[in-house]
Amino acid sequence: MYRHLERRLAQQIREFLRRSYGLDLPKIVIEQPPRVELGEYALPLAFELAKKLRKPPRKIAEEIVAGIGAIEGFEKLEIAGAGYINARVNRERLATAIAADERPKIDIPEGKVLVEHSSINPNKAAHIGHLRNAILGDTFVRLLGFAGREVDVQNYIDNTGVQVADVIVGFLHLDKKSRAEIEELTRQPRFDYYCWDLYAQVSGWYELDKQNRDARQQVLHALEEGGNETAAIADLISIAVLRRHLETMDRLDIEYDFLPRESEILHLHFWDAAFTKLKDAGVLSFETEGKNKGCWVMRRPKTASTQAIGDAGEIPKFDLKSKDLIVDLYVSQGPETGAVRITHIPTGTVVSSKNEASLEKNRECAMNLIRSQLAEMESQKVIVRSNGTVGYVGKDIAYHLWKFGLLGRDFGYRKFYRYPNEHDCWISTTDGEPDHPHFGDVAEIYNVIDARQAEAQNTVIEALRGLGYNQQADHYTHFSYEMVALTPRCAADLGYQLSDEDKGRSYIEVSGRKGFGVKADDLIDTLIASAKKEVDSRHPQINEEERMTIATQIAVGALRYFMLKFTKSSVIAFDFKEALSFEGETGPYAQYAVVRASNIFRKGGLDPDMFAGSVASYVSTADFAKYVNGADGDEIWELWLASSKTSFVVDQCIATTEPAYLAKHVFQLAQLFNAFYHRHPILAEQDEGRKRFLFATVAVVRRELIRALAVMGIAVPSAM
């Protein structure tokens, strides 16, 4: 309802401006006052119009307030300060609508949305970084679903790439296993763990002798060719590891609809179809001389911003995330050419925000490296190498043409994995089953891929535009995010031996090639074990099975909330103690607020779900008018108002591709509720009318917390 009233207010203001001033403002900025007693909405509109109308802001505000007339659902508009307009809603009417869970009909965009996330190389166990990707992606899927959109969830499987090749090299050259022996190993419960260790060993083997890397090239060639023993071994390994990945993600209630594999993109000749389109449209050209002789390239015009930095020496955005963290620098080159990202400049140097001389020295060093990199980029992007092999970006262009239904080819499909709820996940094949869902041909795409892939993602968008598919390019979003590291305490808890230097770091980066990292299942197991220990001590009377269920829900809630509460551009340093805390901005804190609310009903002899289903029948509009208006009602009204904002926050998350806003909403709602709980002893309330109102307040907050947590993929346990 909060979102609905905001839109109504904006529309009325827009119509008044057309009628009175002949102005057409497509966007009306509406803010939230710092305190609820000032109103529910604030408009800085008069300041924006002052120059256009050549009037003081306050004069414009007076004209708007005097001339706009009554707005349904609003009590009045008031002028504040030098020209702000505060809007006050009719509190009792809004409270009645919130209690009844009214949801005004909204326009839902047509067309299906495709969200691609996880996309873990099927060569070893999933790790903590993959969990951030999957949790962000799954939550965005849930956000879209809450907003009424139809969503396809895809998990791209690169089963012919370098990472898979390296594990095959390990099996064939280090372990010297036969195909039959490898097949037997794939039946082990945690085959992905075996591959984890082997992958690290292969990296060490490459370092012993550079010629060892020739084995990788031989395997890659065999994989691209297909139909041979090496390709069959790759299929065995990647399928077994992929199943483990799905089982791991299923523990977090993360599901997929379709698993497109790179092997089918190759063998079904997706690239051939895309290549023809790109050549015919002039997007690709063949180089006959120079550095890229013999290659097919995309020409990339130098943009104004690139020119400014490369020639004029303009200082780029220089972001010190916090004291003593390694510096990240970003240089925007515009939507056509993507972004250059240079991390750790100079390599391994830690810059203290207190040391300005060091800061300037590093800034100068960074600028030199940026200019150097820009000079090397030239105006061409190689898509097909001189040896005829297609680069990653080329295959990605073909894949995205398929996503938008523009390729003229399709995968074969077969069922691959069935979830406990009987939802089927399909996988690509060269032939497949005749009766399958329709995948691809979508209206919008969101790719959850880390920030390092920005250039590749923007190259795909550039190719779409070059082919004339501007509408599709406009609806292609790179949902980027930063890495996950470990706090030294977390690394030590997981059994890693740390040097004194490591112990003094803000965070410790993980490396799969070095075998240093946190396997996703290990992390989940450790969280469950920690939560179980606490649940056992608090609730010994509950049976073992239910205690394990409660511990699992707390652990999963802690993990998902921790991954979501940070903005995507933040580097996360994971810490067990912080994630599992019952205090502060954590999943358990929010879950505990719901359990506390449920206990109030239980102690009062009421069923919270039944009460919530008919809460409007317990309290009348007149009752609401009595308890939510005036200075005495401001505190509780703030809680009701916060409860009305779930849909508003969901819209904000989707528009900005930032789920952290929902985590913040949940935390603030839980905070407000806990303050309310301590100030108002509901069960001891003597006034029956006020008691019903307080129960209604608890019911509404409980409902919205459960609803918002569900969008975050977090269940609420029966006890904490």
Side-chain angles (χ1 to χ4, degrees):
M1 284 302 298
Y2 184 87
R3 174 184 60 177
H4 180 67
L5 287 176
E6 182 198 50
R7 289 177 176 174
R8 182 181 293 167
L9 175 62
Q11 184 59 31
Q12 291 287 97
I13 293 288
R14 191 175 291 112
E15 290 175 1
F16 174 81
L17 296 178
R18 288 184 190 136
R19 185 171 67 247
S20 301
Y21 304 123
L23 294 176
D24 190 0
L25 292 185
K27 181 174 178 58
I28 305 295
V29 176
I30 300 180
E31 301 172 351
Q32 299 174 49
R35 301 187 307 278
V36 72
E37 57 265 30
L38 298 176
E40 287 72 28
Y41 305 94
L43 295 97
L45 178 69
F47 299 98
E48 180 184 349
L49 296 176
K51 186 175 289 187
K52 293 180 180 179
L53 299 179
R54 298 184 178 180
K55 296 180 182 180
R58 188 171 178 89
K59 176 64 175 174
I60 297 171
E62 289 171 350
E63 292 175 357
I64 293 173
V65 170
I68 198 168
I71 304 176
E72 184 183 353
F74 286 83
E75 195 70 46
K76 59 182 176 179
L77 302 184
E78 297 175 336
I79 301 168
Y84 268 94
I85 299 174
N86 289 338
R88 295 184 181 274
V89 302
N90 184 308
R91 289 185 178 183
E92 58 266 30
R93 287 178 61 183
L94 178 54
T96 302
I98 296 168
D101 199 18
E102 290 183 11
R103 301 193 198 179
K105 187 177 180 180
I106 60 171
D107 293 329
I108 299 173
E110 293 183 0
K112 190 162 52 174
V113 183
L114 189 158
V115 178
E116 178 193 319
H117 68 81
S118 301
S119 303
I120 310 169
N121 291 314
N123 69 318
K124 65 181 187 305
H127 58 62
I128 190 170
H130 298 136
L131 291 181
R132 186 177 196 188
N133 183 308
I135 290 169
L136 282 170
D138 179 66
T139 302
F140 198 70
V141 169
R142 293 167 185 265
L143 286 162
L144 290 167
F146 186 91
R149 300 300 302 272
E150 181 186 1
V151 188
D152 265 358
V153 188
Q154 295 191 8
N155 178 1
Y156 182 80
I157 310 302
D158 182 1
N159 61 337
T160 65
V162 171
Q163 287 78 9
V164 170
D166 285 347
V167 172
I168 295 170
V169 168
F171 277 112
L172 298 181
H173 293 270
L174 275 69
D175 280 5
K176 302 192 182 300
K177 300 285 187 185
S178 66
R179 177 177 172 181
E181 289 172 323
I182 295 170
E183 186 170 7
E184 182 62 31
L185 281 172
T186 63
R187 300 190 182 101
Q188 291 184 1
R190 286 192 168 178
F191 173 68
D192 53 338
Y193 277 41
Y194 185 99
C195 293
W196 175 287
D197 295 334
L198 186 59
Y199 182 65
Q201 292 168 25
V202 171
S203 297
W205 185 65
Y206 287 155
E207 294 300 319
L208 292 175
D209 187 340
K210 290 184 178 180
Q211 289 187 349
N212 289 342
R213 293 180 181 270
D214 293 343
R216 173 196 279 173
Q217 296 306 315
Q218 293 168 8
V219 169
L220 284 171
H221 180 73
L223 295 184
E224 189 161 336
E225 188 177 75
N228 51 60
E229 182 74 2
T230 301
I233 290 173
D235 195 54
L236 271 176
I237 294 169
S238 62
I239 287 291
V241 173
L242 176 57
R243 286 192 183 278
R244 283 293 302 119
H245 289 170
L246 297 189
E247 290 166 358
T248 299
M249 296 307 171
D250 194 19
R251 300 180 71 185
L252 302 176
D253 198 21
I254 295 173
E255 298 181 356
Y256 310 93
D257 298 315
F258 178 47
L259 309 171
R261 296 189 294 177
E262 186 164 300
S263 54
E264 274 69 57
I265 288 178
L266 291 171
H267 302 146
L268 292 171
H269 305 292
F270 277 29
W271 168 245
D272 293 344
F275 192 30
T276 299
K277 286 178 176 288
L278 292 164
K279 286 189 295 183
D280 290 349
V283 177
L284 295 186
S285 59
F286 186 74
E287 291 299 297
T288 57
E289 57 184 20
K291 177 182 176 181
N292 295 323
K293 182 179 179 180
C295 300
W296 286 91
V297 303
M298 280 179 58
R299 297 198 176 278
R300 308 173 67 177
K302 197 173 186 181
T303 64
S305 57
T306 305
Q307 187 76 29
I309 293 172
D311 298 339
E314 179 181 314
I315 300 296
K317 179 179 178 182
F318 191 87
D319 181 23
L320 267 177
K321 288 185 169 59
S322 65
K323 178 185 174 184
D324 292 338
L325 289 189
I326 294 175
V327 177
D328 281 346
L329 297 115
Y330 299 85
V331 184
S332 172
Q333 295 190 118
E336 294 85 3
T337 57
V340 176
R341 181 175 186 272
I342 303 179
T343 309
H344 304 175
I345 305 297
T347 303
T349 297
V350 176
V351 181
S352 170
S353 57
K354 289 184 177 180
N355 189 336
E356 294 300 326
S358 175
L359 185 63
E360 286 304 316
K361 182 178 179 181
N362 282 281
R363 184 194 297 263
E364 182 181 353
C365 179
M367 282 303 307
N368 290 334
L369 287 172
I370 289 169
R371 292 190 185 100
S372 173
Q373 181 160 330
L374 288 173
E376 290 175 4
M377 284 183 64
E378 299 187 333
S379 60
Q380 299 176 348
K381 175 68 177 178
V382 174
I383 303 299
V384 182
R385 304 179 189 96
S386 58
N387 62 5
T389 59
V390 185
Y392 165 78
V393 174
K395 288 176 279 190
D396 213 26
I397 292 169
Y399 174 40
H400 282 85
L401 288 171
W402 170 82
K403 283 184 178 181
F404 279 122
L406 303 171
L407 189 64
R409 299 197 179 191
D410 200 3
F411 292 103
Y413 302 89
R414 66 176 171 85
K415 292 177 183 176
F416 180 73
Y417 188 89
R418 173 159 285 194
Y419 293 98
N421 62 5
E422 298 191 346
H423 171 66
D424 286 318
C425 177
W426 295 72
I427 195 168
S428 64
T429 67
T430 52
D431 42 25
E433 302 173 25
D435 187 17
H436 60 80
H438 179 68
F439 296 109
D441 194 19
V442 299
E444 297 177 50
I445 294 171
Y446 292 89
N447 288 337
V448 185
I449 304 176
D450 76 43
R452 292 169 294 181
Q453 298 300 316
E455 185 184 353
Q457 289 289 293
N458 282 306
T459 300
V460 177
I461 294 173
E462 183 184 347
L464 289 171
R465 294 197 187 282
L467 289 168
Y469 300 130
N470 290 308
Q471 181 178 350
Q472 288 80 0
D474 289 341
H475 290 91
Y476 179 121
T477 301
H478 175 200
F479 188 119
S480 67
Y481 65 94
E482 274 292 352
M483 71 172 185
V484 182
L486 305 176
T487 63
R489 179 173 63 184
C490 181
D493 288 344
L494 288 164
Y496 288 104
Q497 297 298 315
L498 304 180
S499 66
D500 290 338
E501 183 181 357
D502 287 336
K503 293 175 183 177
R505 294 182 184 275
S506 300
Y507 61 80
I508 298 174
E509 293 188 41
V510 298
S511 171
R513 287 198 175 275
K514 296 178 182 178
F516 180 79
V518 184
K519 301 180 187 72
D521 281 307
D522 285 350
L523 177 62
I524 297 169
D525 290 343
T526 303
L527 285 167
I528 292 174
S530 298
K532 178 69 162 45
K533 185 177 179 180
E534 186 69 22
V535 172
D536 287 346
S537 66
R538 292 186 180 208
H539 303 286
Q541 77 284 2
I542 298 177
N543 67 61
E544 171 69 18
E545 183 179 356
E546 188 175 352
R547 291 204 307 273
M548 177 55 77
T549 298
I550 292 170
T552 301
Q553 290 173 329
I554 292 172
V556 171
L559 176 59
R560 291 190 67 123
Y561 193 97
F562 194 93
M563 291 294 186
L564 293 169
K565 73 175 182 177
F566 298 96
T567 56
K568 299 175 302 172
S569 59
S570 303
V571 173
I572 294 179
F574 189 82
D575 186 87
F576 288 111
K577 187 174 181 180
E578 182 182 347
L580 281 168
S581 175
F582 278 46
E583 298 297 329
E585 192 175 355
T586 68
Y589 178 80
Q591 289 171 315
Y592 186 62
V594 180
V595 171
R596 174 173 274 172
S598 299
N599 286 339
I600 294 172
F601 284 99
R602 180 178 56 79
K603 292 175 182 177
L606 298 169
D607 182 289
D609 294 319
M610 290 183 62
F611 189 96
S614 55
V615 65
S617 65
Y618 290 94
V619 187
S620 67
T621 302
D623 290 330
F624 283 126
K626 182 178 179 181
Y627 297 118
V628 301
N629 284 312
D632 293 341
D634 284 343
E635 174 218 323
I636 293 181
W637 175 242
E638 186 176 11
L639 184 55
W640 277 81
L641 187 64
S643 299
S644 74
K645 293 181 179 179
T646 303
S647 293
F648 171 81
V649 174
V650 166
D651 278 357
Q652 186 183 28
C653 292
I654 294 172
T656 59
T657 61
E658 185 52 87
Y661 293 127
L662 184 60
K664 184 66 68 178
H665 169 66
V666 165
F667 176 56
Q668 291 174 342
L669 191 53
Q671 273 188 313
L672 288 170
F673 173 73
N674 285 329
F676 161 85
Y677 171 85
H678 289 297
R679 290 173 187 159
H680 301 279
I682 299 171
L683 299 176
E685 176 61 55
Q686 297 299 309
D687 184 323
E688 285 301 316
R690 181 172 175 78
K691 190 173 185 177
R692 287 195 304 271
F693 166 71
L694 293 176
F695 267 119
T697 302
V698 176
V700 165
V701 175
R702 178 181 176 274
R703 179 192 72 202
E704 292 305 313
L705 277 173
I706 291 173
R707 182 174 286 166
L709 284 169
V711 177
M712 296 175 70
I714 298 173
V716 177
S718 58
M720 293 290 287

